[in-house]
Amino acid sequence: MSSDLTTDDLPADLPPEKHDSIERVRALSTMMDNAIPVPGTDYRFGLDPVLGLLPVGGDALSAVISMYIVLEGYLMGVPQDKLARMVGNVILDAVVGSIPVLGTLFDAFWKANVRNVDLLEEHVEQYA
């Protein structure tokens, strides 16, 4: 998963509004999937599995937050096939994440937001 690209990794001719969008979705992805380090390891997790601990509403809230990245992708002109993959990542995360215990572990490792930012960045690099 590549979402560790810096501002310098973006195409030089990327319009400022798309640059700002990329920065927003990167920050959201980090918060949801990689914000919290696991002591003694290189592994990180985010708020997604933490929200998943809340019965019923936690995974729904996480899915709503994750759909923001899909919305930004739509606004940036990501092709429909990639948007469908992005929505599929969010749906899979929400459905499997809603399973008690197993879902929380899945949330910690699936990282749908990182995957979706990778798809968005792939589009930007290819079509900027």
Side-chain angles (χ1 to χ4, degrees), residues 62-124:
S62 181
V64 169
I65 293 168
S66 295
M67 285 302 292
Y68 175 75
I69 296 171
V70 178
L71 174 63
E72 286 283 2
Y74 171 79
L75 294 173
M76 292 179 69
V78 170
Q80 286 186 351
D81 63 321
K82 279 190 184 176
L83 286 175
R85 285 176 54 197
M86 292 170 79
V87 169
N89 286 336
V90 174
I91 290 171
L92 181 64
D93 187 48
V95 170
V96 177
S98 67
I99 300 169
V101 182
L102 175 65
T104 301
L105 292 173
F106 179 80
D107 282 342
F109 290 95
W110 176 246
K111 299 183 185 258
N113 300 293
V114 170
R115 292 171 187 272
N116 286 345
V117 170
D118 286 347
L119 289 168
L120 182 56
E121 289 177 350
E122 180 181 292
H123 166 75
V124 166

